[in-house]
Amino acid sequence: MLRAKMEYKCSVILTKALILSVLVSRVHSAAAAGSPRPINEALNPNKPPCVACLASCPNPYNRNLEGRSCTNCNTHKPVQCCDGVINDYFQNDQFENLFSNRDSLEAHAKGFWDYRSFIAASAHYQPYGFGTTYINSTFFGTKEVAAFLAHVGTRTSCGNKVASKEPLEWGLCYNKEMNSNSNTYCDEHDKNIYPCAPGVAYYGRGALPIYWNYNYGEASKDLKVDLLNHPEYIEQNATLSFQVAIWRWMTPIMEHQPSAHDVFTGYWKPTKNDSLAKRVSGFGATINVLYGDLVCGQGDNEFMNNIISHYLYYLDLMGVGREEAGPHEVLSCAEQVAFNPTPSSSP
């Protein structure tokens, strides 16, 4: 699970001098081990039978004994369905188009990122619905990959540093926070659970940068990689860098709250309180989940609009078309109340 802790860090280049430390909370990932179990009814008769997602199984839902499927206790039907794999519809040439300048001379992570690393990282999460989800017979996969990569492209872009060049073409320019020696990101309150390794700094690393010792600790536990003692692994391995980012996308920030995946696909259904807070399922809610009131509920702002611009641009390049993105209130979180308001005492 993810713990929300977000800060602007103006010195950080990863997000146009805006570093938003959105962070993971201590709730165990809902992902269970095992492979998906086929169900009897396909969403599309022309497709092979879909499989029950291994995604979160909140009450009143229960897992079967093998932990392989999530069914409604009343209807005994899957809550959501998954089918296919991402590389069925998202090919290497599309990845190259989205990140056409990632290996340019100006890129700080030249030669690091590639399509195979993304596909390898996503393979673990596809049975949980990442890029493979159907809700009510509607396929969300292509749009979800575009949405996820829009956040990635924004957070790793150096487009603002490259004058006269198209800024939306400069995603995956970085794989770590620059000028990273300014803060160790070691939280004293979590030292007993996730002790900071001597001489180690937990600055932002990865396709969706994570910060702080407790986030590296949670990622270590869920991904079975010792990132607490060796956070540098993320900036040394592109597959792991994407994997940590997808983990962050798929994992709820706090207990009884949705993940970015949940709010995007519509697996999460807004309550009356959510409606009063103007929170609706869609792309804008992913910004809310990941960045909270550091971006959302403040009207239009440059960082939010930059993420939206990346999403629309990626939809066009992936052949979906920006007209499928939805109305402004779905795209934006400008009027949404944050899922996790920042405490007034936070720095």
Side-chain angles (χ1 to χ4, degrees):
M1 296 269 168
L2 300 176
R3 168 170 169 177
K5 182 168 183 178
M6 304 171 287
E7 296 180 359
Y8 283 111
K9 291 292 174 183
C10 295
S11 62
V12 179
I13 301 178
L14 279 171
T15 60
K16 297 171 91 172
L18 172 68
I19 281 300
L20 300 165
S21 305
V22 180
L23 303 164
V24 286
S25 175
R26 290 188 192 113
V27 186
H28 293 297
S29 173
S35 58
R37 182 183 65 177
I39 61 173
N40 294 327
E41 188 175 321
L43 292 171
N44 184 334
N46 297 320
K47 284 181 170 286
C50 65
V51 295
C53 288
L54 303 183
S56 51
C57 227
N59 291 332
Y61 305 105
N62 290 323
R63 293 189 182 281
N64 64 7
L65 293 178
E66 295 82 13
R68 293 184 177 179
S69 65
C70 184
T71 57
N72 186 304
C73 296
N74 298 318
T75 65
H76 304 290
K77 293 181 179 180
V79 177
Q80 56 179 319
C81 239
C82 313
D83 190 21
V85 291
I86 290 174
N87 53 322
D88 280 346
Y89 61 83
F90 183 58
Q91 305 295 325
N92 181 66
D93 60 340
Q94 292 173 298
F95 183 89
E96 295 292 332
N97 287 336
L98 264 59
F99 305 109
S100 57
N101 289 318
R102 75 185 190 282
D103 288 332
S104 66
L105 292 177
E106 296 92 336
H108 291 261
K110 184 178 185 295
F112 181 77
W113 306 100
D114 61 9
Y115 171 77
R116 287 187 178 183
S117 296
F118 171 68
I119 295 301
S122 66
H124 173 76
Y125 295 94
Q126 291 176 52
Y128 299 87
F130 178 69
T132 61
T133 292
Y134 289 83
I135 300 287
N136 296 327
S137 301
T138 299
F139 182 59
F140 285 86
T142 312
K143 290 171 67 176
E144 182 179 13
V145 169
F148 168 76
L149 291 177
H151 284 279
V152 168
T154 304
R155 293 303 305 275
T156 60
S157 175
C158 58
N160 64 307
K161 298 293 179 182
V162 185
S164 75
K165 300 290 184 69
E166 173 53 63
L168 300 179
E169 296 177 356
W170 287 86
L172 296 182
C173 181
Y174 297 100
N175 63 357
K176 65 177 180 178
E177 175 184 337
M178 307 304 290
N179 301 323
S180 53
N181 293 327
S182 59
N183 195 330
T184 62
Y185 295 97
C186 179
D187 190 304
E188 298 290 333
H189 298 293
D190 291 273
K191 276 190 169 182
N192 291 333
I193 302 175
Y194 296 120
C196 300
V200 168
Y202 299 96
Y203 56 79
R205 296 176 174 89
L208 280 180
I210 61 170
Y211 295 78
W212 303 96
N213 51 310
Y214 52 79
N215 290 306
Y216 280 88
E218 288 288 339
S220 295
K221 181 172 59 178
D222 288 349
L223 299 179
K224 306 297 187 293
V225 180
D226 187 9
L227 300 177
L228 190 63
N229 289 301
H230 296 284
E232 72 277 4
Y233 288 168
I234 296 176
E235 60 189 84
Q236 296 171 352
N237 185 299
T239 298
L240 180 60
S241 185
F242 275 126
Q243 191 175 23
V244 171
I246 302 172
W247 167 79
R248 180 175 163 187
W249 177 266
M250 297 294 291
T251 309
I253 289 177
M254 295 184 70
E255 191 173 7
H256 306 304
Q257 289 191 6
S259 65
H261 165 79
D262 292 338
V263 299
F264 184 80
T265 60
Y267 175 66
W268 167 76
K269 298 300 181 184
T271 65
K272 181 178 180 180
N273 287 338
D274 289 314
S275 298
L276 291 173
K278 299 185 179 180
R279 293 190 290 259
V280 297
S281 296
F283 185 73
T286 69
I287 305 175
N288 194 332
V289 167
L290 295 175
Y291 306 115
D293 56 10
L294 292 179
V295 176
C296 300
Q298 303 182 30
D300 283 338
N301 61 80
E302 184 181 5
F303 186 75
M304 180 191 72
N305 289 332
N306 193 22
I307 302 173
I308 294 172
S309 294
H310 276 82
Y311 177 47
L312 298 178
Y313 178 66
Y314 289 179
L315 284 176
D316 287 343
L317 290 182
M318 291 177 68
V320 176
R322 62 184 61 207
E323 64 275 5
E324 297 296 322
H328 181 71
E329 62 270 21
V330 171
L331 272 175
S332 166
C333 66
E335 304 301 323
Q336 294 184 17
V337 176
F339 283 103
N340 296 291
T342 304
S344 59
S345 59
S346 292

